[in-house]
């Protein structure tokens, strides 16, 4: 519960730092304004902005995550050069030392769960890979998932 609250505070504090212009005008970026910031004096984030694609291999493999967002990424087929839009679910995985790292997955069935459930950003979840299931309409197999919300223990 404490980590979840700390995570929400992290996002709240970040939103306070970012200025929002109420009249929807774009403010030109002035790199000269950055001269007053001493980068060497700033703290390095304990959360990496790098993202790893999670591709489970074993039935029962799971991740404890905070939901971040849904996105659509453009992927280029290396052989044909064709571009394809790939919906993805983006999450923050909590490691054993409570550090967070970004992960994503583009399984159509997993993305579909997130589209239907519309989880708020920061929702704690356990996502379990349940194996591959034969599709009813064709000869392919699709990933099967279990997605469960996490709640504080009583």
């Amino acid at each position: 519960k404490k980590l979840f609250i700390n995570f929400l505070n992290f996002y709240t504090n970040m939103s306070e730092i970012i200025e929002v212009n109420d009249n929807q005008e774009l403010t030109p970026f002035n790199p000269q304004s950055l001269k007053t910031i001493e980068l060497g004096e700033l703290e390095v984030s304990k959360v990496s902005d790098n993202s790893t694609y999670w591709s489970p291999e074993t039935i029962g493999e799971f991740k404890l995550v905070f939901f971040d967002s849904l996105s659509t990424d453009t992927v280029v087929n290396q052989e044909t050069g064709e571009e394809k839009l790939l919906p993805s679910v983006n999450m923050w995985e909590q490691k054993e030392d409570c550090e967070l790292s970004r992960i994503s997955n583009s399984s159509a069935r997993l993305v579909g769960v997130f589209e239907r459930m519309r989880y708020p950003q920061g929702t704690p979840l356990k996502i379990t890979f349940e194996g591959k299931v034969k599709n009813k309409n064709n000869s392919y197999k699709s990933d099967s998932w279990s997605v469960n919300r996490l709640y504080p223990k009583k």
Side-chain angles (χ1 to χ4, degrees):
K1 182 176 179 181
K2 182 179 178 184
L3 181 62
F4 178 63
I5 291 169
N6 287 342
F7 186 72
L8 292 177
N9 287 339
F10 165 75
Y11 270 106
T12 302
N13 292 339
M14 288 304 294
S15 64
E16 290 172 2
I17 293 171
I18 300 169
E19 289 185 31
V20 178
N21 192 339
D22 289 336
N23 58 9
Q24 302 297 321
E25 292 178 14
L26 291 177
T27 304
F29 174 66
N30 178 3
Q32 295 299 319
S33 66
L34 299 177
K35 284 184 172 182
T36 61
I37 300 173
E38 301 231 7
L39 295 177
E41 300 296 318
L42 298 178
E43 184 103 13
V44 176
S45 172
K46 290 182 169 64
V47 179
S48 173
D49 289 331
N50 296 342
S51 184
T52 302
Y53 188 82
W54 176 37
S55 186
E57 298 176 6
T58 309
I59 293 174
E61 185 176 331
F62 69 91
K63 299 277 186 187
L64 300 177
V65 301
F66 294 102
F67 170 67
D68 184 30
S69 62
L70 291 171
S71 64
T72 302
D73 302 314
T74 303
V75 178
V76 178
N77 182 317
Q78 297 300 319
E79 295 176 10
T80 66
E82 179 185 355
E83 290 187 353
K84 180 180 176 181
L85 295 177
L86 189 63
S88 298
V89 59
N90 305 296
M91 304 161 277
W92 293 98
E93 178 185 13
Q94 185 180 56
K95 302 291 189 177
E96 288 182 21
D97 60 0
C98 292
E99 293 293 322
L100 298 173
S101 63
R102 291 177 58 86
I103 62 170
S104 64
N105 186 286
S106 299
S107 165
R109 287 189 177 186
L110 184 61
V111 170
V113 170
F114 282 83
E115 288 174 338
R116 282 188 305 283
M117 295 305 297
R118 298 183 178 174
Y119 296 113
Q121 188 177 42
T123 301
L125 302 164
K126 178 180 181 181
I127 302 176
T128 306
F129 176 63
E130 296 184 331
K132 298 214 178 253
V133 177
K134 187 180 178 323
N135 294 335
K136 293 178 184 176
N137 299 331
N138 57 39
S139 61
Y140 298 110
K141 290 185 174 183
S142 296
D143 293 341
S144 179
W145 304 91
S146 172
V147 179
N148 301 88
R149 292 178 195 238
L150 299 173
Y151 297 96
K153 293 181 180 178
K154 293 182 180 181

